[in-house]
Amino acid sequence: METKLLRIAELAKSDPKVKFTSLAHLLNEQSLIQCHHELPNKKATGVNGTTKEQYNENLKENVEMHPNY
């Protein structure tokens, strides 16, 4: 997926007016877990007050994709 994201970044930089209709196909459990691990520690909590450490306690369950959403 990193290659796809880099390509999107290149397109956005080369043409600031480019519009992407959907990026949802790039989201999956693996990419969300990777993003979580790349987040810096000790930053502000989420809108619900959850810290990164708390979210990490049940990480797989927290990022599990639900087909009903």
Side-chain angles (χ1 to χ4, degrees):
M1 182 177 98
E2 192 169 324
T3 303
K4 292 178 185 177
L5 291 178
L6 290 173
R7 180 67 181 138
I8 290 169
E10 288 172 5
L11 289 170
K13 286 179 185 177
S14 68
D15 184 1
K17 294 184 180 183
V18 70
K19 294 181 181 178
F20 300 97
T21 56
S22 176
L23 300 175
H25 64 281
L26 297 175
L27 297 177
N28 60 43
E29 292 174 20
Q30 180 183 0
S31 65
L32 293 173
I33 290 172
Q34 179 182 347
C35 289
H36 172 76
H37 289 302
E38 292 174 3
L39 288 172
N41 292 323
K42 304 295 181 188
K43 296 293 181 178
T45 61
V47 295
N48 63 356
T50 303
T51 65
K52 180 180 176 184
E53 291 80 18
Q54 291 168 329
Y55 192 84
N56 194 56
E57 290 173 8
N58 295 309
L59 184 59
K60 287 196 180 246
E61 293 83 9
N62 288 331
V63 299
E64 185 177 71
M65 304 293 265
H66 297 281
N68 297 334
Y69 292 154

